Amino acid sequence: MKAWKNRGVAWLCAAGMALIAVFGIGGAKLHGKRGGAVEAFFTGEYAPYADLMECRENAYNLAQAGEESLPEGDAALRGMAQALEELEQASSPLEYYRANLALEAAAETLYHALEGAGLPERQEKAVYRQYNDFCGRQNSLRLDDSYNGLAEEYNRLCSGFPATLIAWVTGNGPLPVFTK
């Protein structure tokens, strides 16, 4: 009981309670904002995840055309296989973002390799359609105001003090925004 009468202990307890309140409430608020953005990434009306899965299908089709037309072990095919594997292993928006950067570069490289492969006209048109659809989905990712807006809002919220510290302590780092 004597300890509570000491002003230093009282101030220390008050400061501790204030820190707990700031980190607890701030952490919960950041977690909620981040959770909303992550949910929009996977299940929103125009979810980037759905666009990424369509890009994956287009990339698989390009890879199949490459396997039929390019020499075995071709660098463009290896790059595509690696990018597709990275996409398959992704589980968070940041991992999907990084995998998508690799997939986008690999698809462009493979498409240009296929352009110079002397494909029959019918197959050339099919490859063009797949790459065109792939690029259209990439544009959809960049124009998705639903997820991108929530991610930008969350990132702005995390950029000030003490939110930066709270985000770091609670593991709620910034979210990727699919823009270029």
Side-chain angles (χ1 to χ4, degrees):
M1 211 50 162
K2 260 187 178 180
W4 288 107
K5 292 183 181 179
N6 183 334
R7 282 191 172 180
V9 172
W11 278 106
L12 188 61
C13 286
M17 289 172 36
L19 279 174
I20 290 171
V22 166
F23 277 92
I25 294 170
K29 184 176 180 181
L30 284 177
H31 183 72
K33 287 280 188 191
R34 182 182 178 83
V38 169
E39 183 177 337
F41 178 85
F42 287 105
T43 62
E45 184 178 353
Y46 302 106
Y49 179 78
D51 287 327
L52 286 169
M53 294 303 100
E54 289 294 325
C55 285
R56 179 187 68 184
E57 293 306 313
N58 295 129
Y60 273 128
N61 292 336
L62 286 172
Q64 184 176 13
E67 288 170 358
E68 294 169 1
S69 307
L70 298 173
E72 188 175 328
D74 183 82
L77 280 173
R78 286 194 321 269
M80 178 60 82
Q82 185 176 1
L84 285 166
E85 179 62 29
E86 190 176 336
L87 187 68
E88 292 297 327
Q89 298 299 317
S91 63
S92 70
L94 182 58
E95 290 172 357
Y96 277 108
Y97 176 79
R98 289 178 179 156
N100 184 59
L101 291 177
L103 186 66
E104 189 174 19
E108 182 178 1
T109 301
L110 182 56
Y111 175 69
H112 291 303
L114 287 167
E115 275 185 319
L119 300 174
E121 185 179 342
R122 183 173 175 213
Q123 191 176 11
E124 188 177 298
K125 286 180 180 182
V127 165
Y128 172 79
R129 276 193 308 275
Q130 289 299 317
Y131 186 66
N132 190 44
D133 289 349
F134 178 90
C135 291
R137 287 297 182 163
Q138 289 293 316
N139 286 335
S140 292
L141 281 169
R142 292 181 187 95
L143 298 174
D144 175 24
D145 291 339
S146 176
Y147 166 76
N148 286 330
L150 291 170
E152 287 172 343
E153 181 183 337
Y154 169 77
N155 291 341
R156 262 192 311 278
L157 185 64
C158 285
S159 66
F161 184 82
T164 303
L165 183 60
I166 294 168
W168 179 74
V169 168
T170 60
N172 289 313
L175 288 169
V177 177
F178 288 84
T179 58
K180 246 188 185 178

